[in-house]
Amino acid sequence: MSDTIEARLASLGVTLPTPAAPQANYVPVVRTGNLLFVSGQIPIGPNGIEFVGKVGQEFGIEEGRACARLCGINIIAQTKAAIGDLEKVVRIVKLVGMVNSTPDFTDQPKVINGCSDFLVDVFGDKGRHARSAVSVASLPFGVAVEIEAVIEVA
């Protein structure tokens, strides 16, 4: 993959949003050394918060994947705001994906793949990462997915 990260985003039809401001007492990104810790990102789109509800109830796996992809877009937006140039991303190190799902729903990994697949599409092999995908009883604002990231940067 010789084209730029910005070109790959454009080819995927993605325009990065202005990153959302924190809604509580935390910062969106902390840099220590060459690592960025990106706070949990929720599915905020052009019209505000999207995908309010539970996977396995209001949403199926495909809608959950779309929600996770939107979280991934917001992770990249926060990363760009923190470092300025996405070419400085060395590797997506780890994701922690939380799925607001019904007690009997067990396909959390398939949902979080919406973000994982997107990050590989954008960053190529640098987008391959370690990951957790867990179910939770609820998430802020009732959203279906929240994802945090650890990213190595130059």
Side-chain angles (χ1 to χ4, degrees), residues 128-151:
R128 297 191 187 285
H129 50 271
R131 184 183 87 179
S132 299
V134 300
S135 178
V136 296
S138 66
L139 286 169
F141 309 106
V143 297
V145 176
E146 179 177 356
I147 303 175
E148 62 183 53
V150 179
I151 301 172

Side-chain angles (χ1 to χ4, degrees), residues 29 36 38 74-84 86 89 151 153:
V29 179
L36 293 182
V38 182
N74 290 319
I75 287 169
I76 294 173
Q78 292 287 2
T79 300
K80 184 174 180 180
I83 63 173
L86 291 172
V89 171
I151 301 172
V153 296

Side-chain angles (χ1 to χ4, degrees), residues 54-61 99-111 134-137:
K54 288 190 177 289
V55 179
Q57 186 170 308
E58 286 84 8
F59 305 116
I61 292 171
V99 182
N100 178 6
S101 58
T102 58
D104 61 337
F105 185 81
T106 59
D107 284 325
Q108 290 80 8
K110 290 180 182 176
V111 170
V134 300
S135 178
V136 296

Side-chain angles (χ1 to χ4, degrees), residues 22-71:
Q23 298 298 305
N25 188 14
Y26 68 92
V27 294
V29 179
V30 169
R31 182 174 182 165
T32 183
N34 63 342
L35 294 177
L36 293 182
F37 291 81
V38 182
S39 294
Q41 297 299 299
I42 62 174
I44 299 176
N47 299 315
I49 295 173
E50 299 181 22
F51 298 99
V52 174
K54 288 190 177 289
V55 179
Q57 186 170 308
E58 286 84 8
F59 305 116
I61 292 171
E62 288 308 310
E63 292 162 310
R65 285 177 52 83
C67 180
R69 183 180 188 273
L70 184 51
C71 293

